[in-house]
Amino acid sequence: MVFPQLSRGYDRAITVFSPDGRLLQVEYALAATKRAALALGVKSKEGVVLLAVKKYVSPLAEPPTKIHQIDKHIGAIAAGLVGDGLMLIDRSRQEAQYNKLIYGEPITVKNLAKRIAMFKQQYTQYAGLRPFGVMMIFGGVDDQPELYITHPGGAFYSYEAYAAGMNSDKVNDYLRDGYKPDMSLEEALVLAVSAAAKGQEEPINENTVEMAVIDTKTKEFRLLTKEEIQRIINKLPREEKPS
Amino acid sequence: MVFPQLSRGYDRAITVFSPDGRLLQVEYALAATKRAALALGVKSKEGVVLLAVKKYVSPLAEPPTKIHQIDKHIGAIAAGLVGDGLMLIDRSRQEAQYNKLIYGEPITVKNLAKRIAMFKQQYTQYAGLRPFGVMMIFGGVDDQPELYITHPGGAFYSYEAYAAGMNSDKVNDYLRDGYKPDMSLEEALVLAVSAAAKGQEEPINENTVEMAVIDTKTKEFRLLTKEEIQRIINKLPREEKPS
Amino acid sequence: MVFPQLSRGYDRAITVFSPDGRLLQVEYALAATKRAALALGVKSKEGVVLLAVKKYVSPLAEPPTKIHQIDKHIGAIAAGLVGDGLMLIDRSRQEAQYNKLIYGEPITVKNLAKRIAMFKQQYTQYAGLRPFGVMMIFGGVDDQPELYITHPGGAFYSYEAYAAGMNSDKVNDYLRDGYKPDMSLEEALVLAVSAAAKGQEEPINENTVEMAVIDTKTKEFRLLTKEEIQRIINKLPREEKPS
Amino acid sequence: MVFPQLSRGYDRAITVFSPDGRLLQVEYALAATKRAALALGVKSKEGVVLLAVKKYVSPLAEPPTKIHQIDKHIGAIAAGLVGDGLMLIDRSRQEAQYNKLIYGEPITVKNLAKRIAMFKQQYTQYAGLRPFGVMMIFGGVDDQPELYITHPGGAFYSYEAYAAGMNSDKVNDYLRDGYKPDMSLEEALVLAVSAAAKGQEEPINENTVEMAVIDTKTKEFRLLTKEEIQRIINKLPREEKPS
Amino acid sequence: MVFPQLSRGYDRAITVFSPDGRLLQVEYALAATKRAALALGVKSKEGVVLLAVKKYVSPLAEPPTKIHQIDKHIGAIAAGLVGDGLMLIDRSRQEAQYNKLIYGEPITVKNLAKRIAMFKQQYTQYAGLRPFGVMMIFGGVDDQPELYITHPGGAFYSYEAYAAGMNSDKVNDYLRDGYKPDMSLEEALVLAVSAAAKGQEEPINENTVEMAVIDTKTKEFRLLTKEEIQRIINKLPREEKPS
Amino acid sequence: MVFPQLSRGYDRAITVFSPDGRLLQVEYALAATKRAALALGVKSKEGVVLLAVKKYVSPLAEPPTKIHQIDKHIGAIAAGLVGDGLMLIDRSRQEAQYNKLIYGEPITVKNLAKRIAMFKQQYTQYAGLRPFGVMMIFGGVDDQPELYITHPGGAFYSYEAYAAGMNSDKVNDYLRDGYKPDMSLEEALVLAVSAAAKGQEEPINENTVEMAVIDTKTKEFRLLTKEEIQRIINKLPREEKPS
Amino acid sequence: MVFPQLSRGYDRAITVFSPDGRLLQVEYALAATKRAALALGVKSKEGVVLLAVKKYVSPLAEPPTKIHQIDKHIGAIAAGLVGDGLMLIDRSRQEAQYNKLIYGEPITVKNLAKRIAMFKQQYTQYAGLRPFGVMMIFGGVDDQPELYITHPGGAFYSYEAYAAGMNSDKVNDYLRDGYKPDMSLEEALVLAVSAAAKGQEEPINENTVEMAVIDTKTKEFRLLTKEEIQRIINKLPREEKPS
């Protein structure tokens, strides 16, 4: 923001195009997601792993759960503004329930991500609204493991592994290097934990991360216990393990 | 605000993102809460303590009650703009009643905090509204003692002990130092009072603080009498006791 | 307003927060109340006294009544913009009637003040509105005498004695000095009149002030006759009595 | 308007407070009323006199009637913008009819003025509206003669005699000097006419003023004929009579 | 517009008062009417004459009819923006029909003008609208001939003779000089035509003006034929007759 | 736009008057129509000719039909923004159908043009809208051939021959010179084609113009075939014929 | 954007005309489409080919399908903002279903394009909206193969071959050169692939493009398999084939 006057007017009041076709409020909303704690997902042939770093604003504070069950077979993390995330988690559950009610079957991860992407898009096109400052990560198992991402502007993508939030660029590089298409769920868990460790200055432990899996056998969302998380962290190679 | 022109436009009209992803109106609302009298909560294994400093605008004035009963088992303090606080206390009671009506059981402290957080969030995303200039402190006993905080932007957290309002930074440091996970209710009461004393220039007494407890036995919100408050103040170590 | 440009933007269009957490439109509304004629209330153990100075815009004009009966047991003065005051007096009566209709019993002074405070608050949070430029003084007798004040921003307080409007700072100082907790109603009447005299350049008389009492025996609002007001003014010590 | 920039922002878009608590749009609306032709009312023990100067925009033009009957016993003049006045006269008649319909009795002059004052007030508090540029003069007889004035901002007053519009300051001074509390209706008519003559550069005659009376005997609004107006003008002392 | 910055802000966005009590948008709308072709009306004891100059934007163009029948006994010309005029002619017809439907009798010219004036006024007081850039001339015969004018701001007047549009100041002067209270319809027709000739650089003829009369015998609106118009033009004194 | 600051504020946000009574947004909309391909209509005693130049944005593109049938006996061209034109063609068809439904007879060309003109006018008077950037040309046969034009501001005119769009000034001059009141349909077709040729840098042919006729015998809208267009072009005098 | 101040005001808040009749927000929306991955369509006598380049934001990401089936016989690509595209694809399907429901027959490609064009147009004319940053390509077979394009401003065109998105200018030149009116479907497939190759820096392969055909025999939309795409790429002349 060396020359703040150059962006004057294009990023205010309502979300309009800048002369080069950008929606600056959407880009600023993306910036908001980078200020939030790291969150990531990893897909393996045996299931999907979700991991969220817990940001302790104080040693006396317990942050609210970051990983939320959306449906029996789907979990989600809202990386970004906490309040905005609450709204989108709530909306996601409504979409899942609505799908069951109307079509008589569970929503697919892809359709859920698409519905939320379209919901977000509307907050970028109508005056009197601002975009959601949240990147959503949806993980679940339909016929096979699925991992979907929705951007503040309404785009959505399928990923093998994806990290959002603080230091996500570095962590995504790490995921790219470490990802193997035929990983087992166990390998995915380890990759998730070691990637999270990459993004934190402090060593991670069972109290600073939440984890969940949806495996292809049960097709059920399940939060990991602290013991389970501890067990995975212990599998990290020495230089990544907390001392 | 040395260069007020640098923030021009991002903090007006409606709550929109600044280029670095911040919602300035939310931050200014937070600033509003720092101008209000100190309020705090302390959780112990035997119950939750709420304490509010009474700000006497005149020796002839009696400020309105700061600690409000929301449900049989929940109390709340609204730290910030008095008028905004009235609205949120009112809304909290509605949420509690609604929960009983719809689900046939009392609302949990966490769900109450979450509902209020989501209510606050909406005031940060739609044009024609401003955020609430209020930090809410909810204390209560569900299965166990609970203490929750909601921010003006819609975030909420569980805390062991938390102070909002004037000098809250200093008081939170004090709470951090003095908090012990296995405190009795009596110890929590003393910690609350001594923390409040830290945040005031004048010595505190039974007329300048309100206190309430929700203990795990009765699970009932109860305001302390002036005698009870007096008794706790008398337990303060000499240097903290009013002379 | 030496540097008007410093407040540019924060005090216009809608009521939004300034960077230091203030709502400037609310503060300006408060300034509006200071331009209105003095109004005050005094609480005694035997009842509440309300007094309003009549501002004669012309010797041929009779200003509208300043002290209004809200319910059998409650009176009110709207200090500030005349038109805004009409609205709030009207609203106060509606609240009183509504309470009787819904709960089958008269509204308490405190609840009335709280309802009006919440009504005022809404005019500070939604776009397209401005705050009420009025300070309300409610006096009445529920189980005991009550005197309540509501600010333009939605705050409300219980007072032993309170003055709003022109020169109210000086008059409040005088009230503070002269107030005694165990005053009789007669003493309260004299205090009210002598405080009003303090705030006026011209000596006051039975034509320049309105007065009302709600005593604990009848619990009924009653406007004083000119003779009664004359009698009280005559009791003022010489230097305060009109020559 | 030597320094137009000093009022920048406080007098535009919507009616908001200036830092010193003023509503500039209301003050500008008042300025609008001063540009309109003179209108006045005089109260006597035997009835009320209304007088309006007719502003001939051309010798070929006949301006619309300025004095309007609102109810059998009430007349009104709208001093200010012609179009705004039409609206308020219309509204006044609706209020009068509504009162009869709902309460089964004619509206009092005071209540009518109060209803119109409250109607005007709303145009000063909500965005998307501007205040009415009109001062209303209501004259009528309830139990006794009544003369009421409403300001653009929503204030209303009872007057013995009052002039609005062009040169009204000078005319009000004249009314103040000439008014006697125990005037007969005839004396009030003469005072009205001579006051009107004071405010005009040209001598007045039966074609340049409209007049109406509501006397205490019939309690009925009646427009004076040109002959009657001529007769009263002839009673003016020489120096005030048209040559 | 030598100093355009002096009017900045008072003439934009919505119609608000300038510090001296003017509504600039209304004045600008008036300026719009001065850009339109001349239109005029003349009242005589035997009927009313309406005349509109046809502005040929091209020799191949036939401008739409300028004089419109509103009711059996009323005609109207909309001088100003063509599109705005269409709306007001349409509205006038609705008002006439509505009057017949509700009151069972034809609307009077005065009431029609008043209804349209009130309609126009609303476009000067509510945000999101602009005033109509049209001056309406209504001519008709109720009990006697009537000629009414409505301004863009909502004022309306009765005139003996009135011209709006281009060069109307000069033409109104001419009308003022030539008007005689006891004119015959024939004299009014000649006055109308010669006045129109005054306002045009080119000599007028039966193709460049439209004319209509509503006489007191038939009380019916009637457009003049080209032959009739030709006949009247031929009666003009030599220097005014087209060569 | 040498001094863009001179028009600041009058041409933005909503369509308001400039100090000299102009609606700049309407004028800019007119400018938009000048950027579109040429369109024209010619009226003869035997029928109406419509012609639209097809603007090939690419040799691979086929522009959408420019001449649209609105009713059995009416055709229309929307010269200006393509999207805006679609809306107005659609609206025209609705008006035609509505007329048949309500009045049981086909709409006249004049009434259709008037309805569309009034529709366009509304987009110039209400905030939150912009004028249509389209000039409509309506041709048809009611009792006789009719050619009507509507402007973006809501004006409408009857023309003998009219061209809108690119180079329309030059083409209208040509039409003015070439038009003869007693032309046959064949002559009108040739005039239309030769006028179109005047407005194009490239020679025209059966692929670069669309043509339609509504003749007085069938009173039916009919698009010309390429062969027919070719035949007419061949009748052009040598210097106008494509080489 | 050398002189950004020259466009100040015309491209903000709502979509209004600039003095030269342009809608800048629409032009900026067009700029947005140029930032998206290349998409194209080619029409042959035997059917239509759709091709979309897949933009891999990461090697771990699978972008959402770019080519969507709208109806049995129609496919579409949304080139531009992903979120906006989702909305328009959704809307297209609704239009197709609506057509079948109301008219009992499948929508034609042209009508679908027109409906979407009109939908887009509305986002350019009403305040509180921004245009869609998307160029739509509709391909299908009605009686014959059809390829339609809709612009962000609401214009639509029929094309023989058209490319939108990144480097589309260069690709459209290539299409222009390579297009032959009597191509077979096979030739169209090869032209599409070789044109896409022109627009990419990297050689294309079966993983970086999606393709679909709607042939005239089945009249059914069908996505090509990776093998089929591979087969076509292999037919590219050497210099265009991936090495």
Side-chain angles (χ1 to χ4, degrees), chain C residues 180-193:
Chain C
K180 283 170 292 178
D182 55 353
M183 282 194 297
S184 65
L185 187 53
E186 183 70 16
E187 286 172 308
L189 286 163
V190 172
L191 177 61
V193 167

Side-chain angles (χ1 to χ4, degrees), chain A residues 72-147:
Chain A
K72 203 187 169 198
H73 63 307
I74 305 179
I77 311 176
L81 300 184
V82 179
D84 287 22
L86 286 177
M87 295 305 290
L88 287 175
I89 291 294
D90 209 59
R91 178 88 191 185
S92 299
R93 284 179 181 142
Q94 289 173 27
E95 292 285 355
Q97 285 169 22
Y98 180 86
N99 202 81
K100 250 181 284 189
L101 209 69
I102 299 297
Y103 304 105
E105 58 184 33
I107 200 168
T108 62
V109 182
K110 180 180 177 181
N111 276 346
L112 175 58
K114 187 174 158 190
R115 297 303 306 168
I116 292 302
M118 289 175 75
F119 182 67
K120 280 174 161 183
Q121 189 273 348
Q122 295 183 60
Y123 282 75
T124 75
Q125 192 164 23
Y126 301 100
L129 301 171
R130 61 162 177 79
F132 282 96
V134 169
M135 189 83 84
M136 293 295 288
I137 302 176
F138 294 102
V141 176
D142 301 325
D143 291 338
Q144 57 182 56
E146 303 283 0
L147 181 68

Side-chain angles (χ1 to χ4, degrees), chain D:
Chain D
M1 203 172 52
V2 185
F3 300 113
Q5 73 280 16
L6 284 184
S7 67
R8 280 187 59 186
Y10 302 120
D11 46 11
R12 274 186 289 156
I14 62 163
T15 303
V16 294
F17 286 107
S18 67
D20 52 348
R22 293 158 67 199
L23 297 170
L24 294 190
Q25 273 295 309
V26 171
E27 299 187 7
Y28 299 168
L30 205 57
T33 71
K34 300 271 184 185
R35 304 166 71 97
L38 186 78
L40 59 85
V42 176
K43 207 161 81 179
S44 80
K45 62 185 177 191
E46 294 172 356
V48 180
V49 176
L50 297 174
L51 181 152
V53 170
K54 298 169 84 161
K55 198 154 133 195
Y56 282 81
V57 293
S58 151
L60 297 184
E62 176 69 22
T65 308
K66 295 287 290 286
I67 306 182
H68 302 269
Q69 184 166 7
I70 301 303
D71 202 343
K72 203 186 168 196
H73 64 306
I74 305 180
I77 311 175
L81 300 183
V82 179
D84 287 22
L86 286 176
M87 297 303 291
L88 289 175
I89 291 294
D90 210 60
R91 178 86 191 186
S92 299
R93 284 179 180 142
Q94 288 173 27
E95 293 285 354
Q97 286 169 20
Y98 180 86
N99 203 81
K100 252 183 285 191
L101 209 71
I102 300 297
Y103 302 107
E105 58 183 35
I107 200 169
T108 62
V109 182
K110 180 179 174 181
N111 276 348
L112 175 58
K114 187 175 157 189
R115 297 304 305 166
I116 292 302
M118 289 173 76
F119 183 66
K120 281 174 160 182
Q121 189 273 345
Q122 295 182 61
Y123 283 75
T124 74
Q125 191 164 24
Y126 301 98
L129 300 172
R130 62 162 175 78
F132 282 96
V134 169
M135 188 83 81
M136 293 294 288
I137 302 177
F138 293 103
V141 176
D142 299 326
D143 291 337
Q144 57 183 55
E146 302 283 2
L147 181 68
Y148 274 90
I149 305 300
T150 67
H151 279 247
F156 75 106
Y157 295 94
S158 168
Y159 269 89
E160 300 301 317
Y162 186 80
M166 213 171 281
N167 297 323
S168 53
D169 291 343
K170 193 165 68 176
V171 176
N172 275 317
D173 286 347
Y174 183 86
L175 286 171
R176 214 134 43 213
D177 294 343
Y179 182 79
K180 283 170 292 178
D182 55 354
M183 283 194 296
S184 64
L185 187 54
E186 183 69 16
E187 286 172 308
L189 286 163
V190 173
L191 177 61
V193 167
S194 58
K198 274 288 166 207
Q200 307 302 111
E201 293 185 8
E202 301 291 306
I204 62 169
N205 60 49
E206 68 277 17
N207 293 314
T208 59
V209 297
E210 286 175 56
M211 294 186 74
V213 294
I214 310 97
D215 64 41
T216 50
K217 280 182 221 145
T218 63
K219 294 193 179 181
E220 284 186 20
F221 172 90
R222 189 171 69 80
L223 280 172
L224 296 200
T225 62
K226 292 205 171 179
E227 290 68 33
E228 288 175 304
I229 296 174
Q230 179 64 47
R231 189 185 60 79
I232 300 159
I233 291 175
N234 285 337
K235 289 184 118 181
L236 292 193
R238 183 164 303 184
E239 72 274 26
E240 292 179 0
K241 214 182 307 181
S243 54

Side-chain angles (χ1 to χ4, degrees), chain B residues 16-38:
Chain B
V16 294
F17 285 106
S18 67
D20 53 347
R22 294 157 67 199
L23 296 170
L24 294 190
Q25 273 295 310
V26 171
E27 299 187 8
Y28 299 169
L30 205 57
T33 71
K34 299 272 183 184
R35 303 166 71 97
L38 186 77

Side-chain angles (χ1 to χ4, degrees), chain A residues 112-240:
Chain A
L112 175 58
K114 187 174 158 190
R115 297 303 306 168
I116 292 302
M118 289 175 75
F119 182 67
K120 280 174 161 183
Q121 189 273 348
Q122 295 183 60
Y123 282 75
T124 75
Q125 192 164 23
Y126 301 100
L129 301 171
R130 61 162 177 79
F132 282 96
V134 169
M135 189 83 84
M136 293 295 288
I137 302 176
F138 294 102
V141 176
D142 301 325
D143 291 338
Q144 57 182 56
E146 303 283 0
L147 181 68
Y148 274 91
I149 305 301
T150 69
H151 279 248
F156 76 104
Y157 296 94
S158 168
Y159 268 90
E160 301 301 317
Y162 186 80
M166 212 170 281
N167 297 324
S168 53
D169 291 341
K170 193 165 69 177
V171 177
N172 275 317
D173 286 346
Y174 183 86
L175 286 171
R176 213 133 44 213
D177 294 342
Y179 182 78
K180 283 169 291 178
D182 56 352
M183 284 195 295
S184 65
L185 186 55
E186 183 70 14
E187 286 171 307
L189 285 163
V190 172
L191 177 62
V193 165
S194 59
K198 273 286 166 209
Q200 306 303 111
E201 292 185 9
E202 301 292 308
I204 63 170
N205 61 49
E206 68 276 17
N207 293 314
T208 60
V209 297
E210 287 174 56
M211 294 186 73
V213 292
I214 311 96
D215 64 41
T216 50
K217 279 181 223 146
T218 65
K219 296 194 180 181
E220 284 184 22
F221 173 90
R222 189 172 69 79
L223 281 171
L224 296 200
T225 62
K226 293 205 172 182
E227 290 69 32
E228 289 175 301
I229 296 173
Q230 179 62 48
R231 187 186 59 80
I232 300 157
I233 291 174
N234 284 338
K235 289 183 116 183
L236 292 193
R238 181 165 303 185
E239 73 273 28
E240 293 177 1

Side-chain angles (χ1 to χ4, degrees), chain A residues 1 4 7-8 11-14 25 27-29 31-32 35 55 57-65 68 81-87 89-90 93 123 127-133, chain B residues 6 8-10 12-23 27 110 114-115 117-119 121-122 124-127 148 153-162 172 175-176 179:
Chain A
M1 205 174 50
S7 67
R8 278 188 60 186
D11 47 10
R12 272 187 288 157
I14 63 166
Q25 273 295 309
E27 299 187 8
Y28 299 169
R35 304 166 71 96
K55 198 153 132 195
V57 292
S58 150
L60 296 185
E62 177 69 22
T65 310
H68 302 270
L81 300 184
V82 179
D84 287 22
L86 286 177
M87 295 305 290
I89 291 294
D90 209 59
R93 284 179 181 142
Y123 282 75
L129 301 171
R130 61 162 177 79
F132 282 96
Chain B
L6 284 183
R8 280 188 59 188
Y10 301 120
R12 272 187 289 157
I14 62 164
T15 304
V16 294
F17 285 106
S18 67
D20 53 347
R22 294 157 67 199
L23 296 170
E27 299 187 8
K110 180 180 176 181
K114 187 176 158 188
R115 297 303 306 167
M118 289 175 76
F119 182 67
Q121 189 272 348
Q122 295 182 61
T124 75
Q125 193 164 22
Y126 301 99
Y148 273 91
F156 76 105
Y157 295 93
S158 168
Y159 268 90
E160 301 301 317
Y162 186 79
N172 275 317
L175 286 171
R176 213 133 44 213
Y179 182 78

